[in-house]
Amino acid sequence: MKNYLLIGTIAFMGTALLTSCGQAGKKAAPEAEFTYEVDRFEDISVLKYRLPAFEQLSIAEKEFIYYLSEAALCGRDILWDQNFKYNMLIRKTIEAIIDTYGGDRESDEYRAFITYAKRIFFANGIHHHYSNDKFVPGFSADYLAQLIGGSDAARLPLAEGQSVEELAGFLSPILFDPVLYAKKVDQSEGTDMITASANNFYEGVSQAEVEEYYSSLADRAEPRPVSWGLNTKVLKVDGKVTEIQWKSGGMYGSAIDRIVSWLEKARDVALSETQKKELDLLIDYYRTADLGTWDDYNVLWAGNTGLSVDYINGFIETYGDPMGMKATWEAVVQYKDTEASKRTVLITENAQWFEDHSPVDPQYRKEKVTGVAASVINVAMLGGDCYPASPLGINLPNSNWIRTEAGSKSVTLANITDAKDIVARGSGFLEEFAYDQTEIDRAVQWGSLSDALHTDMHECIGHASGKLAPGTDPNALKNYASPLEEMRADLFALYFMMDPKMTEVGLMPSDEPAKAQYDNYIRNGFLTQIVRIQPGRDIEQAHMRCRSAIAHWVYEKGKSDNVIEVVTRDDKTFVRINDYQELRGLFGEMLKEVQRIKSEGDFAAGKDMIENYGVKIDSDLHTEMLSRYARLNLAPYSGFVNPVMTPVTDSDGKITDVKIEYCSDYLGQMMEYGKNYSFLQAW
């Protein structure tokens, strides 16, 4: 489970770029000179992230990180194909055009094409990474044909016997027809979510057929169920619903084999025997696709804590599947920030206290909170569904029974958060949307701490809290499972941030950081996050539905007592919290109900909560927010280019160091990855 930035408040930084991907070995710039933003287009800001104190790591740690990082880059094609079955064809066509097109590269149409290409690279496909809507090209279908016709045919991904003109004709409706493949994930009420969604998890089957198929496999009496459907594509063979496994020798096998080859190198230099054993299990899982092996790996991985270097690698998160079953491929390589982790240690040391004092029904609390491990880490490499758009926090494994019996790991991504915070300074966002100067001053003084604490609490103890009632199907909430789970973790964090325990154990000096978080959360969920949505659209993304549902539910339930007030001033809408303690009580009430819904698998109640509070947007308010936000000239989304790692070897080929170069060429990195880390075919 991931926690994403509430809203990108990225201000454009016009200073000169200091490094490029081609300047390997250059000394990193001092903090005061480091330029974080490397590109800006449409609604996207692309940043760099630093690797603090990387040079202080041991050679063994650096070598381990290097091999894991190469594995993290080798699965990129998998995500592209999972997102949409023609994404690889489209990407390879775009890459060929950028490399070989012989026509005018200074025209407005070519510039529009490059912007379109950048958007596709950022989203890992032709659908927006957050809204799931298909991108609208800023050029014509005729111009696409001109681009393809003016490029080197030998570089184009032509099918056997296909002409250049036929390739252009095939791609034209896919890219330009607004109805065809319109949404990557469509969870609109009343639709067949399988046939309406353009992702590549299902083909030729309906939602009813998929539900019936997996219902026949699941055993509700099994106390340790595997994650059915996690690593397969569902389709029909001879009229029968079946699955194709993602594994070595199976679907995505050529990319998985490359991942495995680097994981084997990492295993051989792993920093502990337990880490070697878990990597052996992960490699075996990639070769067999056995879900029992995946569970064995996660049990061992979750219990292996206190590491200086760790990683995430596999088919993990299910946000991209409207049914919440199929997992996209992702990878993160990380090393521990020991000083900052003291904060998360305090939280996890008190995890049982938080669970015991939770406002949820006692029968749905955990009697014993097991193996909650949390760290603040620095990212060394992002891959798959964590790149370029990165989460701020991650809590894994996702399996309920493993979390109960073996525990979980939570990480807060410090250098990712720092990069976003630094770029956001002085953006004018708070001055435009905060209610008054008191709110602004509180956010400036306590915003960084309050955001870090909320992420830590969300990941460390929010996701780790609570339990299912005996016999509850883990998949009972279906397409509403993800937003409800994010609500549960957010509410847990929000409720306890205002608790005196936070100051008692030294996590906060007073309740002011909690107030700053309450201000920020309600403002974002009620007002500012909707600037990410196109006019006339509903909220689709799980984290956004979560925040909207929480903000609107507590507003409605506290309306009679004026707990939260909607204020109009100078024709602008603001929200003001009048009673922070009453708001905390409302967060507790909502947490109790959301936990009940999850524990009992109450699909109807979960659906009502999301559909009634988390989906719809007031059109007049939406128009106002979009207008006010546009005047700030900010990008609501941000992501990252990765650093470049270069191993230094001795005469025997043994790695003696790993040098870091910070890339400042977003498009260049995308093209380089297409050349060096692409292992799947276009057709």
Side-chain angles (χ1 to χ4, degrees):
M1 295 146 188
K2 301 175 185 172
N3 189 20
Y4 286 88
L5 184 69
L6 296 184
I7 185 164
T9 56
I10 307 302
F12 180 74
M13 301 176 68
T15 51
L17 301 177
L18 298 174
T19 61
S20 74
C21 297
Q23 295 174 308
K26 286 196 71 174
K27 186 177 180 180
E31 179 68 40
E33 300 176 11
F34 193 84
T35 302
Y36 283 88
E37 187 168 66
V38 302
D39 207 343
R40 178 81 176 272
F41 50 91
E42 294 289 330
D43 56 355
I44 301 295
S45 173
V46 182
L47 313 176
K48 293 179 289 191
Y49 58 92
R50 294 179 72 97
L51 272 60
F54 183 86
E55 67 281 357
Q56 298 173 21
L57 298 177
S58 69
I59 299 302
E61 289 169 326
K62 289 180 181 179
E63 184 176 15
F64 189 44
I65 286 173
Y66 173 70
Y67 293 143
L68 290 171
S69 295
E70 288 297 302
L73 297 177
C74 287
R76 179 174 180 244
D77 283 358
I78 297 174
L79 177 67
W80 279 75
D81 191 75
Q82 288 179 314
N83 283 342
F84 178 52
K85 65 180 179 180
Y86 295 124
N87 271 339
M88 287 298 300
L89 174 66
I90 294 163
R91 195 190 81 202
K92 288 180 181 291
T93 301
I94 288 173
E95 290 168 346
I97 293 170
I98 293 174
D99 262 351
T100 70
Y101 178 61
D104 182 5
R105 290 173 176 253
E106 300 300 324
S107 69
D108 290 342
E109 283 186 302
Y110 188 80
R111 291 191 182 95
F113 163 73
I114 289 296
T115 297
Y116 180 66
K118 288 180 178 182
R119 298 182 79 189
I120 288 176
F121 285 134
F122 191 91
N124 296 297
I126 65 170
H127 298 89
H128 195 283
H129 73 290
Y130 226 71
S131 73
N132 292 309
D133 294 324
K134 187 169 73 172
F135 293 126
V136 178
F139 51 91
S140 68
D142 288 342
Y143 185 67
L144 174 67
Q146 178 183 322
L147 289 170
I148 293 174
S151 300
D152 183 355
R155 287 288 311 279
L156 291 168
L158 299 172
E160 186 175 353
Q162 187 181 45
S163 68
V164 170
E165 293 76 18
E166 287 170 336
L167 174 63
F170 182 80
L171 290 177
S172 181
I174 295 172
L175 300 181
F176 292 93
D177 186 336
V179 177
L180 193 62
Y181 309 117
K183 293 188 75 70
K184 180 174 67 176
V185 180
D186 190 341
Q187 294 182 318
S188 303
E189 187 178 9
T191 65
D192 184 313
M193 294 184 293
I194 299 298
T195 58
S197 299
N199 62 50
N200 196 24
F201 295 132
Y202 309 94
E203 190 166 349
V205 291
S206 68
Q207 180 179 337
E209 288 173 320
V210 171
E211 290 175 344
E212 181 181 1
Y213 174 77
Y214 283 113
S215 178
S216 70
L217 298 179
D219 179 1
R220 294 191 181 185
E222 171 56 55
R224 297 174 178 174
V226 297
S227 301
W228 291 110
L230 188 76
N231 60 344
T232 62
K233 178 176 179 176
V234 176
L235 69 168
K236 283 183 180 176
V237 176
D238 297 327
K240 183 180 179 181
V241 176
T242 190
E243 295 176 282
I244 300 177
Q245 294 178 319
W246 305 331
K247 65 175 183 176
S248 178
M251 190 172 180
Y252 304 140
S254 56
I256 289 172
D257 287 343
R258 295 300 185 107
I259 296 168
V260 166
S261 69
W262 287 106
L263 290 179
E264 288 175 328
K265 292 178 183 293
R267 174 201 58 199
D268 293 342
V269 298
L271 303 179
S272 72
E273 286 302 314
T274 301
Q275 216 162 35
K276 288 182 180 180
K277 290 177 182 177
E278 71 187 35
L279 282 165
D280 272 331
L281 283 170
L282 180 58
I283 290 165
D284 187 39
Y285 163 68
Y286 273 133
R287 287 175 171 157
T288 65
D290 184 85
L291 291 171
T293 302
W294 174 244
D295 283 350
D296 292 341
Y297 160 76
N298 277 289
V299 168
L300 192 59
W301 178 86
N304 191 16
T305 61
L307 304 168
S308 61
V309 177
D310 209 347
Y311 64 95
I312 295 164
N313 191 298
F315 302 106
I316 295 171
E317 300 288 5
T318 61
Y319 300 115
D321 175 14
M323 301 297 294
M325 300 181 73
K326 309 292 175 190
T328 50
W329 188 88
E330 68 178 61
V332 176
V333 184
Q334 65 206 46
Y335 59 101
K336 190 172 183 177
D337 184 329
T338 304
E339 184 62 29
S341 292
K342 292 177 181 178
R343 183 181 70 235
T344 56
V345 169
L346 272 177
I347 293 172
T348 55
E349 284 178 346
N350 289 278
Q352 190 65 59
W353 186 94
F354 288 119
E355 184 75 2
D356 292 343
H357 291 81
S358 168
V360 307
D361 191 314
Q363 66 178 317
Y364 301 136
R365 296 179 196 153
K366 287 180 178 174
E367 294 83 1
K368 183 179 180 182
V369 178
T370 304
V372 178
S375 300
V376 177
I377 59 93
N378 289 308
V379 169
M381 193 64 66
L382 298 167
D385 211 6
C386 293
Y387 170 85
S390 168
L392 298 182
I394 302 172
N395 177 273
L396 295 171
N398 286 328
S399 169
N400 283 293
W401 76 262
I402 295 177
R403 297 165 74 85
T404 299
E405 296 186 21
S408 62
K409 287 182 185 176
S410 298
V411 293
T412 301
L413 284 56
N415 55 343
I416 297 297
T417 302
D418 288 347
K420 292 188 176 188
D421 284 349
I422 289 168
V423 175
R425 292 171 187 168
S427 67
F429 180 85
L430 276 173
E431 289 75 9
E432 177 62 37
F433 292 107
Y435 173 71
D436 58 17
Q437 192 61 43
T438 299
E439 201 173 297
I440 293 170
D441 293 343
R442 185 186 290 132
V444 170
Q445 183 173 4
W446 300 112
S448 293
L449 174 61
S450 71
D451 285 346
L453 280 172
H454 184 266
T455 299
D456 292 343
M457 300 280 284
H458 172 109
E459 299 294 349
C460 298
I461 55 177
H463 283 308
S465 68
K467 64 180 182 180
L468 299 183
T472 296
D473 180 358
N475 296 314
L477 299 177
K478 301 178 183 178
N479 52 303
Y480 297 105
S482 290
L484 286 165
E485 176 58 24
E486 296 307 320
M487 287 168 65
R488 198 175 67 88
D490 266 2
L491 287 164
F492 200 96
L494 290 165
Y495 177 77
F496 279 111
M497 281 193 73
M498 191 63 77
D499 196 285
K501 185 74 171 180
M502 299 291 285
T503 55
E504 177 188 320
V505 300
L507 286 165
M508 300 189 313
S510 68
D511 63 2
E512 285 298 294
K515 289 181 179 179
Q517 186 59 213
Y518 281 23
D519 293 337
N520 185 44
Y521 199 95
I522 296 300
R523 183 194 316 121
N524 186 56
F526 209 98
L527 300 177
T528 57
Q529 74 166 0
I530 61 177
V531 303
R532 294 179 164 194
I533 307 295
Q534 293 295 316
R537 302 279 187 160
D538 290 338
I539 298 173
E540 296 273 0
Q541 205 272 343
H543 296 82
M544 293 181 72
R545 284 185 166 191
C546 152
R547 294 188 288 267
S548 177
I550 290 174
H552 287 90
W553 191 94
V554 295
Y555 169 71
E556 181 178 294
K557 300 302 180 183
K559 199 169 185 178
S560 61
D561 295 323
N562 205 28
V563 176
I564 300 171
E565 186 177 359
V566 177
V567 180
T568 301
R569 185 179 66 226
D570 300 328
D571 296 323
K572 294 181 178 181
T573 304
F574 301 89
V575 287
R576 177 175 64 190
I577 299 172
N578 292 318
D579 193 324
Y580 290 91
Q581 287 298 331
E582 284 294 318
L583 179 54
R584 185 199 180 208
L586 291 170
F587 286 144
E589 290 178 27
M590 192 177 193
L591 173 59
K592 181 178 181 179
E593 174 60 6
V594 171
Q595 182 63 61
R596 184 200 67 78
I597 289 170
K598 175 159 185 173
S599 294
E600 298 176 5
D602 190 341
F603 176 82
K607 174 184 174 182
D608 287 346
M609 184 169 283
I610 298 300
E611 293 292 343
N612 291 336
Y613 296 101
V615 175
K616 299 299 180 183
I617 303 173
D618 179 272
S619 60
D620 292 337
L621 180 64
H622 197 186
T623 299
E624 177 196 331
M625 290 298 112
L626 289 170
S627 175
R628 290 166 64 184
Y629 192 78
R631 290 195 290 270
L632 296 175
N633 190 32
L634 302 177
Y637 301 99
S638 61
F640 293 87
V641 288
N642 280 320
V644 178
M645 294 187 180
T646 304
V648 179
T649 58
D650 61 18
S651 58
D652 296 324
K654 181 177 176 59
I655 291 179
T656 59
D657 199 3
V658 176
K659 297 297 185 183
I660 299 298
E661 170 201 357
Y662 294 107
C663 179
S664 291
D665 183 357
Y666 164 69
L667 189 59
Q669 182 161 99
M670 294 298 167
M671 294 295 289
E672 190 261 331
Y673 282 3
K675 289 182 175 69
N676 296 328
Y677 297 100
S678 184
F679 309 109
L680 300 183
Q681 299 300 311
W683 294 91

